[in-house]
Amino acid sequence: MTRVFSGIQPTGEVHLGNYLGALRHWAEAQHENESIYCVVDLHAVTVRQDPDELRAKTLATMATLLAVGLDPDSCTLFVQSHVHEHPELAWLLECTVSFGELRRMTQFKDKSSRGGSDGVEGVSAGLFTYPALMAADILLYDTDLVPVGDDQRQHLELTRDVAERFNHRYGDTFVIPEAAIPRVGARVMDLQRPTDKMSKSTDSDAGVVMLTDDPATITRKFRRAVTDSEPEVRYDPENKPGVSNLLAILAASTSGDPATLAGEFEGYGALKAATAEAVVAVLEPVQRRRAELLEEEGYLLDVMSKGAAKASEIAADVLRRAHDAMGFVVVH
Ligand code: ATP
Ligand code: LTN
C-alpha cells in the first residue's frame, strides 16, 4: 500500500491556500492510502514563538486537521515533538546534506531576508537546517508520496537528493519519496498582492482568507481583491495574476477548470461574488466542526497521544536502520 506523509506548521491561522493546496488532499488520501500527518511544531520554532501561543496554536492546528475531515481511525495524526526520532534522524541528515545545498533553498533566502538589516546573521541556525528536519520527517516513515503545495517543491527535491546520497554511501536504507502537487490550487496567491503566495506569516491579513473568517469577512476580502484595469475575464496567470488567482480558487473550490470557468463571467464583480460564495460553502462545515473541537481539549490530547504511539513504532525501526547503516553500534 502507498504510504503518504505530510506536515503543517502551527505558526498561525490555517488559510485557504493551506486548505486548497494541501489539507483537502490529505483528507482524500486517507481513504486510499496509509496516511500519516504531522503538526510540525519543531519547524515552527525556527522563528521565534511565544510559548503560550505555540501551545494554543498546536492544539488549534490539530482541531483544524480533524475539522477538515481527517479521521484518527483512518490515518495517523501526531505532533512532531512527541516523536523524538525526528530530531535524531535530522542530525544524521544534517551530516549528509551540504552547506551549499541548504544555502540555495529559496524558503531560507526569503525568510532570512525578512529578518531586518543584519540579514542572515540574526536568523536561527534552525532556519538554515530546517530542510534536513523536513527530510527526516518524510524519510522516517518509508514515505512514497508527499502531498504539498507548490512552495515545497524544492524541499522535496532536496529530500530525494539526500536520501539517494545516503543510500549510495551506506547501502539501501530509505525509500525515495515523490511530491504530490495538485493541478489546481497548488499556489493560492494573496488577494491583495497576487504575485505573492497566500501565507500565514504575512504582515497584513486583508489578502489572506483564514479558515476562521466569517462569511461577511470572506465576501469583503474577495470584493476588495486586486485585479487589473482590463475588463476581460481570462485565465492568464502571468499577465493577469489577480483574476487568474480568483479563477483558480473558484476552480479548486468547485472541482472545475480555471480556463473553462473564465468563459462563464462577463465582469470581475460577478467572478468575485461567485468565488466568495463557493469558498464560504466549502469552509462553512469545516468552521462549525473546528469550533466544536476547540472545546474538547481532552479529546485533542488523546488523539495526539495515540497518534504519537503509532508513529513512533514505524519511526523507531527506520531510525535503527539508518544508525546501523551509518556504522553506529546498535544494541537491543
Ligand atoms: P508560512 O507561509 O508561514 O511558511 P504556510 O502558510 O506556507 O506558512 P505551512 O504550514 O508551511 O503554511 O504549509 C502547510 C501546507 O500548505 C504545505 O503543504 C504548503 O505547501 C501548503 N501551502 C502553503 N501556502 C500555500 C498557498 N498559498 N497555496 C497552496 N498551498 C499552500
Ligand atoms: N516545510 C513545510 C512543512 C513541513 C512538511 C514536512 C511538509 C515540515 N515537514 C514534511 C511535508 C512533509 C512547509 O513549510 N509547508
Side-chain angles (χ1 to χ4, degrees):
M1 204 180 199
T2 303
R3 172 88 52 79
V4 171
F5 181 96
S6 201
I8 181 163
Q9 302 192 63
T11 41
E13 292 292 347
V14 173
H15 54 76
L16 185 64
N18 299 136
Y19 181 68
L20 295 178
L23 301 188
R24 215 169 44 131
H25 304 285
W26 298 10
E28 284 162 14
Q30 70 182 331
H31 302 298
E32 297 144 28
N33 306 290
E34 184 185 348
S35 306
I36 305 175
Y37 301 120
C38 181
V39 178
V40 292
D41 54 351
L42 298 172
H43 276 106
V45 298
T46 54
V47 297
R48 202 154 158 183
Q49 303 290 338
D50 173 81
D52 288 334
E53 273 183 33
L54 179 64
R55 212 168 284 122
K57 283 176 183 167
T58 302
L59 284 160
T61 305
M62 185 55 82
T64 302
L65 295 187
L66 293 164
V68 302
L70 296 178
D71 171 2
D73 292 326
S74 304
C75 64
T76 301
L77 283 173
F78 74 104
V79 175
Q80 190 183 29
S81 63
H82 294 166
V83 180
H84 60 78
E85 283 82 0
H86 289 246
E88 288 182 51
L89 180 61
W91 176 255
L92 307 190
L93 300 180
E94 276 171 47
C95 298
T96 309
V97 71
S98 74
F99 188 86
E101 283 172 314
L102 292 177
R103 196 169 44 185
R104 285 193 287 277
M105 292 293 110
T106 52
Q107 183 170 303
F108 174 71
K109 288 196 263 185
D110 288 351
K111 289 199 175 176
S112 58
S113 67
R114 287 185 216 152
S117 56
D118 57 354
V120 297
E121 290 299 309
V123 304
S124 76
L127 189 67
F128 186 64
T129 57
Y130 177 119
L133 179 59
M134 176 162 165
D137 299 340
I138 297 167
L139 300 178
L140 265 180
Y141 297 94
D142 287 338
T143 302
D144 300 298
L145 274 184
V146 188
V148 281
D150 184 70
D151 60 324
Q152 296 304 311
R153 202 182 280 275
Q154 197 188 26
H155 284 156
L156 253 299
E157 275 307 312
L158 184 67
T159 301
R160 290 166 57 88
D161 289 348
V162 171
E164 275 164 6
R165 184 174 311 148
F166 192 104
N167 286 352
H168 183 71
R169 275 189 197 163
Y170 306 114
D172 241 4
T173 307
F174 296 125
V175 171
I176 309 298
E178 261 183 59
I181 298 173
R183 202 180 46 85
V184 228
R187 196 169 172 79
V188 175
M189 308 308 270
D190 187 288
L191 299 182
Q192 289 299 316
R193 281 174 315 206
T195 47
D196 293 344
K197 76 155 194 154
M198 194 177 277
S199 161
K200 290 200 196 92
S201 39
T202 183
D203 26 345
S204 148
D205 69 1
V208 183
V209 177
M210 304 297 180
L211 247 64
T212 47
D213 281 346
D214 57 44
T217 308
I218 294 175
T219 307
R220 190 179 61 244
K221 285 182 178 174
F222 277 105
R223 201 181 320 118
R224 294 186 185 160
V226 167
T227 49
D228 53 53
S229 55
E230 226 184 55
E232 190 199 357
V233 178
R234 179 161 45 89
Y235 186 66
D236 177 355
E238 193 148 321
N239 299 306
K240 294 171 77 70
V243 173
S244 302
N245 189 35
L246 295 174
L247 286 166
I249 293 172
L250 179 60
S253 307
T254 56
S255 311
D257 171 72
T260 315
L261 283 167
E264 294 177 13
F265 296 96
E266 293 288 333
Y268 295 167
L271 172 63
K272 288 177 172 180
T275 309
E277 201 182 313
V279 169
V280 168
V282 165
L283 295 189
E284 207 263 335
V286 177
Q287 295 180 338
R288 216 171 338 108
R289 184 83 189 109
R290 181 180 177 277
E292 288 164 10
L293 283 158
L294 278 177
E295 302 297 314
E296 299 173 36
E297 189 170 317
Y299 173 67
L300 296 176
L301 294 173
D302 189 48
V303 168
M304 289 177 180
S305 141
K306 291 196 173 118
K310 276 206 271 176
S312 297
E313 259 180 54
I314 307 174
D317 263 3
V318 178
L319 180 65
R320 201 173 306 117
R321 207 197 292 154
H323 272 148
D324 195 24
M326 250 178 137
F328 291 97
V329 175
V330 175
V331 286
H332 293 282

